[in-house]
């Protein structure tokens, strides 16, 4: 951190994709916004800037120039990420002494991480998901169990080149940024040291996701909602099985908002045809759907965080989630949590809240009380604190190494003459 009264952390934020687009691009965009609000001095290098960032953020895209931009689809995501990484690493060479920490994202940071290490700049690598090898393995196993074949270009279809590059990034970065305890666990199980894994959180936009101010009609039918890409890893098949096992399916409604992989939709077709299940497709009114639903279901078999969990809580919609989701969802406090793949437990949770509206309201109220702690601005404050701790840790380690080297050098200076002395006789 530079000298001065404010002691702002100067972060180089490298994101190889379209900052402000959907999914991880939205997450990264909100991170930049939250960091700026928290007081960080942010220099952002996205591949492309998809939507504006705060005025106090300096932005210099790597793969776009004015209205001209490189097509990720045309050149391929991997090649685009490698180009981005090369450009950022070259820029970083010119910024020595002007950056306190580098925040990088997977697949587009290997050369940048190496350059930062050589320049003595600490790095953190974002992990928006579980360890990639773990994710590939559990999704492949579940697909085989279901008889669903993923297209070769699907994000969770096994890709050796992606895995090899990402694992090299894991090894060289100083710290891995993990948004949930589940993500941490997938790295610990593969032999990573606990000190390399640092926790932070994602948030939600409280200006879009907020509760309905009107009192809920106790006679209204029970509504369960699923939001997001309808993929095997999200466990929608478990949600459907649990829903149809519960009496809630007799008089309630299960809304599914999101696009399906065709093979997955075909596999689930008989359950999707049940009269209580409504497939909505991709929707742009997710906040309204959450406000009008009683519970959100997310029985993921592997997950990074699950943004919809905090968005649901902020909307007054109670999460029913697997233990692969964010630990901000606490069982019997603001959510009901089941072990991955436990359909009976999930069916029991659906039934419990269908029949016990007092418990439903209690969980809902507790979730709403936590809102100030789970917004994107709150996440930005947490991340800035993580930066400060990482910079201090890196500086301490570097000072310790310097002391050891000086002591060793001093010892060598004192011992060398004695070791080299020989008796000369004539």
């Amino acid at each position: 951190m530079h000298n001065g009264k404010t002691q702002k952390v100067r972060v180089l934020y490298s994101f190889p994709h379209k900052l402000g687009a959907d999914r991880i691009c939205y997450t990264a965009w909100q991170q930049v916004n939250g960091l700026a609000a928290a007081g960080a001095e942010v220099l952002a290098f996205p591949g492309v800037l998809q939507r504006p960032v705060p005025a106090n953020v300096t932005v210099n895209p790597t793969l776009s120039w004015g209205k001209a931009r490189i097509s990720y689809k045309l050149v391929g995501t991997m090649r685009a990420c490698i180009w981005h990484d090369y450009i950022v690493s070259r820029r970083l060479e010119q910024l020595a002494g002007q950056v306190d920490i580098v925040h990088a994202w997977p697949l587009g940071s290997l050369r940048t991480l190496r350059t930062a290490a050589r320049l003595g700049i600490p790095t953190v690598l974002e992990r928006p998901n579980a360890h990639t090898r773990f994710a590939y393995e559990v999704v492949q196993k579940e697909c085989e169990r279901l008889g669903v074949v993923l297209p070769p270009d699907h994000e969770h279809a096994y890709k050796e080149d992606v895995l090899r590059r990402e694992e090299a990034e894991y090894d060289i970065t100083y710290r891995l940024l993990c948004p949930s305890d589940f993500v941490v666990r997938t790295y610990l199980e593969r032999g990573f040291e606990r000190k390399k894994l640092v926790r932070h959180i994602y948030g939600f936009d409280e200006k879009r996701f907020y509760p309905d101010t009107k009192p809920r009609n106790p006679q209204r039918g029970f509504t369960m909602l699923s939001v997001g890409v309808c993929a095997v890893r999200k466990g929608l098949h478990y949600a459907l099985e649990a829903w149809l096992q519960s009496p809630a399916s007799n008089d309630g409604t299960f809304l599914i908002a999101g696009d399906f992989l065709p093979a997955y939709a075909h596999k689930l077709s008989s359950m999707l045809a049940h009269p209580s299940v409504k497939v909505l497709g991709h929707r742009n009114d997710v906040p309204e759907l959450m406000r009008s639903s009683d519970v959100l279901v997310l029985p993921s078999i592997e997950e990074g965080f699950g943004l919809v969990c905090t968005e649901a809580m902020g909307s007054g919609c109670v999460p029913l989630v697997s233990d692969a989701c964010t630990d901000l969802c606490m069982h019997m406090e603001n959510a009901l949590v089941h072990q991955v793949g436990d359909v009976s437990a999930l069916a029991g949770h659906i039934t419990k809240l269908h029949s016990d509206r007092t418990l439903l309201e209690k969980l809902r109220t507790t979730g709403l009380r936590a809102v100030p702690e789970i917004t994107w601005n709150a996440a930005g404050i947490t991340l800035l604190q993580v930066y400060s701790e990482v910079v201090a840790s890196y500086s301490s380690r570097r000072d310790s190494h310097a002391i050891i080297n000086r002591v060793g050098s001093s010892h060598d200076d004192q011992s060398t003459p004695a070791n080299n002395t020989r008796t000369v006789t004539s």
Side-chain angles (χ1 to χ4, degrees):
M1 290 175 281
H2 58 83
N3 294 325
K5 293 181 179 180
T6 57
Q7 291 290 303
K8 285 188 175 182
V9 176
R10 301 169 298 180
V11 54
L12 188 161
Y13 192 99
S14 174
F15 184 71
H17 308 287
K18 301 175 183 178
L19 190 67
D22 294 333
R23 305 183 69 191
I24 63 167
C25 302
Y26 171 79
T27 299
W29 179 72
Q30 287 288 14
Q31 270 192 336
V32 168
N33 296 340
L35 285 167
E41 190 175 306
V42 183
L43 172 59
F45 292 156
V48 173
L49 182 64
Q50 193 78 1
R51 44 176 149 173
V53 294
N56 60 334
V57 175
T58 301
V59 183
N60 192 353
T62 59
L63 304 179
S64 64
W65 305 266
K67 294 183 179 180
R69 62 176 60 179
I70 285 176
S71 169
Y72 286 78
K73 185 176 293 186
L74 185 64
V75 305
T77 298
M78 173 70 87
R79 185 175 297 171
C81 287
I82 291 174
W83 286 353
H84 166 88
D85 184 24
Y86 174 76
I87 293 168
V88 174
S89 70
R90 292 295 299 272
R91 291 178 182 176
L92 182 57
E93 294 275 6
Q94 310 302 315
L95 293 169
Q98 302 175 53
V99 172
D100 297 313
I101 190 168
V102 173
H103 183 152
W105 278 71
L107 207 57
S109 62
L110 187 57
R111 185 187 290 262
T112 299
L113 294 171
R114 287 172 176 158
T115 300
R118 179 167 48 79
L119 295 174
I121 303 171
T123 56
V124 290
L125 179 66
E126 188 72 46
R127 284 308 310 148
N129 209 339
H131 189 294
T132 302
R133 185 176 295 275
F134 170 88
Y136 280 168
E137 289 173 355
V138 297
V139 171
Q140 183 176 3
K141 183 178 179 180
E142 190 71 5
C143 285
E144 290 172 354
R145 187 183 74 84
L146 292 172
V148 173
V149 178
L150 294 179
D153 61 346
H154 190 274
E155 62 181 344
H156 276 78
Y158 186 90
K159 302 177 186 67
E160 180 59 36
D161 57 341
V162 169
L163 185 58
R164 186 167 55 249
R165 186 173 179 85
E166 289 199 1
E167 290 188 328
E169 291 171 339
Y170 300 165
D171 290 338
I172 198 169
T173 189
Y174 180 58
R175 294 290 187 258
L176 289 162
L177 277 174
C178 303
S180 73
D181 285 347
F182 179 82
V183 172
V184 168
R185 192 162 71 244
T186 64
Y187 282 89
L188 292 176
E189 289 172 352
R190 277 154 181 76
F192 283 76
E193 289 186 87
R194 183 63 182 83
K195 67 180 181 180
K196 191 179 178 77
L197 312 170
V198 292
R199 275 297 318 273
H200 69 127
I201 63 168
Y202 295 147
F204 83 101
D205 183 353
E206 73 277 20
K207 295 181 180 64
R208 293 185 62 223
F209 297 92
Y210 51 83
D212 196 337
T213 56
K214 298 177 183 178
R216 297 198 164 198
N217 181 357
Q219 303 304 315
R220 189 190 64 180
F222 185 78
T223 304
M224 185 168 83
L225 174 68
S226 172
V227 172
V229 177
C230 301
V232 172
R233 65 178 287 258
K234 295 293 184 179
L236 183 61
H237 48 293
Y238 291 134
L240 283 163
E241 289 178 41
W243 173 256
L244 296 178
Q245 287 181 20
S246 168
S249 61
N250 295 329
D251 57 3
T253 304
F254 182 10
L255 303 176
I256 301 175
D259 293 328
F260 271 92
L261 180 71
Y264 190 43
H266 178 73
K267 189 69 180 180
L268 304 181
S269 58
S270 61
M271 291 189 288
L272 293 172
H274 192 275
S276 68
V277 177
K278 309 297 181 187
V279 179
L280 307 178
H282 177 76
R283 297 290 289 254
N284 295 318
D285 59 343
V286 170
E288 289 77 12
L289 289 173
M290 287 185 173
R291 279 192 282 275
S292 62
S293 297
D294 295 295
V295 300
L296 172 99
V297 65
L298 187 63
S300 301
I301 62 173
E302 65 87 19
E303 189 66 70
F305 182 84
L307 293 183
V308 293
C309 297
T310 48
E311 291 170 347
M313 281 195 280
S315 304
C317 183
V318 176
L320 302 185
V321 301
S322 76
D323 55 4
C325 298
T326 170
D327 33 283
L328 292 177
C329 291
M330 294 173 283
H331 187 62
M332 289 300 289
E333 291 189 33
N334 56 19
L336 294 182
V337 183
H338 62 276
Q339 288 188 335
V340 170
D342 192 339
V343 174
S344 296
L346 178 56
H349 292 167
I350 295 169
T351 301
K352 183 187 290 288
L353 296 188
H354 170 254
S355 60
D356 189 346
R357 297 306 174 95
T358 300
L359 176 59
L360 177 66
E361 186 59 29
K362 171 184 172 293
L363 299 176
R364 177 178 183 270
T365 301
T366 305
L368 289 171
R369 278 203 296 266
V371 162
E373 302 168 9
I374 60 176
T375 64
W376 280 114
N377 279 350
I381 293 170
T382 298
L383 182 54
L384 185 54
Q385 180 60 39
V386 169
Y387 285 167
S388 297
E389 292 169 359
V390 169
V391 170
S393 168
Y394 191 86
S395 178
S396 175
R397 186 191 71 159
R398 187 170 53 190
D399 291 346
S400 297
H401 287 178
I403 292 171
I404 291 170
N405 290 337
R406 284 200 298 272
V407 170
S409 177
S410 174
H411 178 73
D412 290 343
D413 291 343
Q414 294 173 17
S415 61
T416 300
N419 292 338
N420 290 340
T421 299
R422 289 184 292 177
T423 303
V424 179
T425 59
S426 56

